[in-house]
Amino acid sequence: MPKEVSPMTKDESKSTWHLHLTGQVQGVGFRPTVYRIAKDYNLVGQVKNTSDGLHVAFNASKELAIAIKEEICNRSLPTLARLTNVSFREVPYKEFVRFNIAHSTKDQTIDMVLTPDVALCERCSEELSGQDDRRYAYSFNSCSTCGPRFSIIDQLPYDRANTRMALFEMCATCKTEYSAPTDRRYYAQTISCPDCAIGLKLYRSNAEMLSSDNTEIIKRTTELWQNGNIIAIKGIGGYLLTCDAENEDVIKRLRQLKHR
């Protein structure tokens, strides 16, 4: 909290302020960021996603409200966020008792930038390679600042229920992380782990399943590549046709199959 701004007192709280942000504001960890800022400043109010962006409403004095706006839009702007418009105004007073992340709504005209899929972040990469980490070697590791976004969205606003992740039930540990404001997976819609895994399955071209064990699948896929096979890998955004890039014969066959 900036030193020149005093925390809100009860007498100062009889004003309600509304901050509306558009742009790349969903799927970037914005709501958890706003929630943590609100807790730091001892605010009451709410933050939510809608079809036209991110909305923040809170009670504060004018001085504190301006400081909050600057904190959200500048000093603590999430790394992946891109703002195209900022609307900030005082609105009729509304009584809040705490600060919370409200349920998203989709009753407005869609006006936002779709967040692209984001490469694995450094911390998730460390978990992936850390043999003592519970997400060690887990193929679908991600958090609130990395992982698929555009490829899994069925409709806006960006919430788990509106993505392909709605099909996967979180385990107890993931639910705890998802619900903990201090955790970097707080409201991370792509959260999963080996205990509630997005599973892998390996099939022949005739639909015969060869394996559903992740470790075995990786091993067998490597062997199939080495033996000159073409493997179609179904990902979140479609299929990738893969083979041994040093095997000229299989590359020629792949080009013929794709008429390239």
Side-chain angles (χ1 to χ4, degrees):
M1 182 185 301
K3 292 182 179 180
E4 68 273 13
V5 178
S6 301
M8 183 180 62
T9 67
K10 186 175 181 180
D11 291 337
E12 293 176 315
S13 67
K14 298 303 180 183
S15 294
T16 300
W17 302 85
H18 181 260
L19 179 62
H20 177 203
L21 306 178
T22 61
Q24 189 170 296
V25 296
Q26 296 187 14
V28 297
F30 223 135
R31 287 180 296 175
T33 296
V34 171
Y35 181 91
R36 286 189 285 268
I37 291 171
K39 290 301 182 181
D40 289 342
Y41 280 86
N42 194 32
L43 294 180
V44 292
Q46 68 177 22
V47 57
K48 70 175 181 178
N49 283 337
T50 72
S51 301
D52 68 344
L54 184 89
H55 293 262
V56 188
F58 58 93
N59 296 339
S61 66
K62 183 176 181 179
E63 179 189 15
L64 182 56
I66 292 172
I68 295 297
K69 171 183 172 293
E70 289 301 307
E71 186 73 40
I72 293 173
C73 298
N74 294 301
R75 289 189 290 271
S76 297
L77 189 70
T79 304
L80 300 177
R82 301 291 184 270
L83 301 181
T84 57
N85 188 65
V86 176
S87 172
F88 179 63
R89 60 193 175 93
E90 185 176 0
V91 295
Y93 179 73
K94 181 177 180 179
E95 187 76 34
F96 293 104
V97 296
R98 64 179 66 86
F99 198 92
N100 70 293
I101 295 178
H103 292 296
S104 300
T105 58
K106 51 184 177 182
D107 52 352
Q108 294 88 3
T109 301
I110 295 176
D111 180 19
M112 69 177 70
V113 177
L114 288 176
T115 305
D117 299 338
V118 183
L120 196 68
C121 70
E122 184 177 345
R123 294 181 68 180
C124 282
S125 180
E126 290 172 354
E127 291 175 341
L128 200 66
S129 57
Q131 294 190 17
D132 295 330
D133 194 280
R134 75 185 192 89
R135 287 187 170 89
Y136 170 67
Y138 177 58
S139 304
F140 298 95
N141 196 23
S142 65
C143 68
S144 61
T145 58
C146 71
R149 299 293 190 269
F150 176 82
S151 293
I152 65 171
I153 293 174
D154 288 328
Q155 61 181 343
L156 294 169
Y158 177 73
D159 281 310
R160 192 178 179 98
N162 294 332
T163 72
R164 294 293 167 167
M165 292 301 297
L167 301 172
F168 302 95
E169 181 70 23
M170 283 183 272
C171 67
T173 305
C174 281
K175 283 182 179 178
T176 298
E177 294 173 333
Y178 183 84
S179 304
T182 57
D183 197 287
R184 82 176 200 281
R185 289 188 170 89
Y186 183 50
Y187 263 60
Q189 309 304 336
T190 56
I191 189 172
S192 64
C193 75
D195 293 332
C196 53
I198 302 171
L200 299 178
K201 292 181 181 179
L202 180 64
Y203 293 89
R204 293 187 186 276
S205 58
N206 63 2
E208 175 193 353
M209 191 173 76
L210 299 177
S211 177
S212 60
D213 178 84
N214 287 15
T215 302
E216 182 184 359
I217 287 172
I218 292 172
K219 180 176 181 294
R220 293 189 68 171
T221 298
T222 303
E223 293 172 349
L224 288 167
W225 280 329
Q226 292 171 343
N227 292 329
N229 289 277
I230 296 170
I231 308 294
I233 301 176
K234 183 180 181 181
I236 290 172
Y239 282 89
L240 294 173
L241 296 179
T242 67
C243 65
D244 179 359
E246 295 184 345
N247 185 327
E248 293 184 5
D249 290 336
V250 72
I251 290 174
K252 181 179 179 180
R253 184 159 66 92
L254 180 58
R255 286 174 173 161
Q256 289 173 339
L257 290 170
K258 290 183 64 63
H259 304 288
R260 298 271 175 98

